[in-house]
Amino acid sequence: MEDKKLIFSGIQPTGTFTLGNYIGAVRNWGPLQDEYNCIYCVVDLHAITVKQDPVKLRQNTMNAYALLMACGVDPQKSILFIQSHVKTHAELSWILSCNTQFGELSRMTQFKDKSQRHADDVNAGLFTYPVLMAADILAYNADLVPVGGDQKQHLELARNIAQRFNQRYGDFFTVPEPYIPKVGARVMSLQDPTKKMSKSDDNPNSCILILDDKDTVIRKFKRAVTDSEAEVCYREGKDGINNLMSIYSTITGKDFASIESEFAGKGYGDFKLAVGEAVADHLEPIRTEFDRLSKDKAFLKQCYTEGAEKALRYSQRVVSKVYRKVGFVDRT
């Protein structure tokens, strides 16, 4: 790989990406390929910390892989693979588990949240998966990790684990830094703009999926919750309009002042329609490319097989050195 900083990022195969996934993360992955060495991963091992239908998980994993390519990730520029295809992640996770404190894991807010949501299946994997996330990152000695607000705590744990390992066994792991994208907004629910947009929301109108057709996208934006003022401007207390303005700004590149001027004297109906059309038109090439890739199963298999081979070669060098440092007998 070229002498550039290395970025690692992964995404769970839990169905079609939302507009929030796209704007907050995946949209940036393509452009990063020109500036960094990028390793991207569909993290199917993480997905099974909650109950999954095996047939759906397999299909969602394939869809997520194809969607990443449709969104601009190029397997010729990046290493793009499926997590369960690369054994070093699980191997390193055990070593790192033995360098992680129980108290650290018990403080993870996502564990507390998911334990409440999945009270019938609070399994050990749900508790320890931040260590697997650390292994995902440290197996490649990644310099940078793009993180949203809900993952900052996990990256901080990965940093702590790396530092603790380095203190015990000598400097080895790169301590990863968060990568904060220059653009991108936190996308909120269209029906409750105080909450993050989520595909698990009970109200289907709250969430835009990036494979939604144009009519569906526009209909959902038309139903978006706003306020009673009928003035398109960004200010405190206007959560619904602020969310729509953030989305429109990210998609069109217009700043808030320009958006306020564009819709001065116009009603919310005009604004919501404009946002819906801009988003739908922006997503159209992604839907088209996804449809094309999904039909070419042989090409997808070739890409994810080659990606896994590259990832294994890279990470095996790191993990072999870790095994030696902790005192395991060499296999060869």
Side-chain angles (χ1 to χ4, degrees), residues 45-46 83 87-100 128-136 138-139 161 319 322-323:
L45 293 177
H46 286 291
Q83 184 188 27
K87 63 181 182 178
T88 44
H89 290 238
E91 291 174 344
L92 182 58
S93 182
W94 175 251
I95 307 293
L96 299 184
S97 291
C98 297
N99 287 271
T100 305
T128 61
Y129 94 90
V131 184
L132 178 58
M133 180 176 163
D136 297 336
L138 298 179
I161 294 170
V319 175
V322 169
Y323 272 37

Side-chain angles (χ1 to χ4, degrees), residues 175-310:
V175 179
E177 298 285 342
Y179 173 82
I180 310 300
K182 299 182 182 72
V183 294
R186 184 176 168 87
V187 179
M188 311 306 282
S189 162
L190 298 184
Q191 294 299 308
D192 181 358
T194 63
K195 295 194 311 186
K196 183 180 169 185
M197 182 178 285
S198 170
K199 66 173 74 75
S200 61
D201 197 303
D202 292 335
N203 188 338
N205 291 312
S206 68
C207 173
I208 302 292
L209 303 176
I210 65 172
L211 295 180
D212 281 345
D213 61 42
K214 185 167 185 173
D215 289 345
T216 300
V217 171
I218 291 173
R219 184 179 72 250
K220 288 180 179 180
F221 273 109
K222 281 182 175 178
R223 294 175 177 173
V225 169
T226 51
D227 55 56
S228 58
E229 293 182 355
E231 181 185 4
V232 177
C233 65
Y234 194 98
R235 65 168 177 258
E236 191 173 345
K238 293 175 69 70
D239 295 331
I241 288 296
N242 293 349
N243 185 38
L244 295 180
M245 287 182 69
S246 294
I247 293 169
Y248 192 62
S249 173
T250 303
I251 294 296
T252 64
K254 298 175 182 178
D255 61 24
F256 290 160
S258 301
I259 296 169
E260 288 175 9
S261 296
E262 182 181 351
F263 292 95
K266 295 182 180 177
Y268 285 167
D270 291 334
F271 179 51
K272 290 196 279 190
L273 177 61
V275 179
E277 288 182 336
V279 170
D281 290 345
H282 181 86
L283 296 178
E284 180 63 37
I286 295 171
R287 290 195 297 272
T288 301
E289 180 64 2
F290 173 77
D291 287 342
R292 186 188 72 79
L293 287 167
S294 296
K295 291 169 186 168
D296 196 344
K297 297 288 193 295
F299 177 64
L300 285 177
K301 184 174 183 179
Q302 178 189 340
C303 290
Y304 68 65
T305 301
E306 290 176 356
E309 289 169 353
K310 291 177 189 174

Side-chain angles (χ1 to χ4, degrees), residues 27-43:
R27 183 174 185 253
N28 301 307
W29 288 13
L32 289 174
Q33 297 172 123
D34 297 323
E35 196 174 344
Y36 300 96
N37 289 322
C38 296
I39 298 178
Y40 296 130
C41 176
V42 179
V43 291

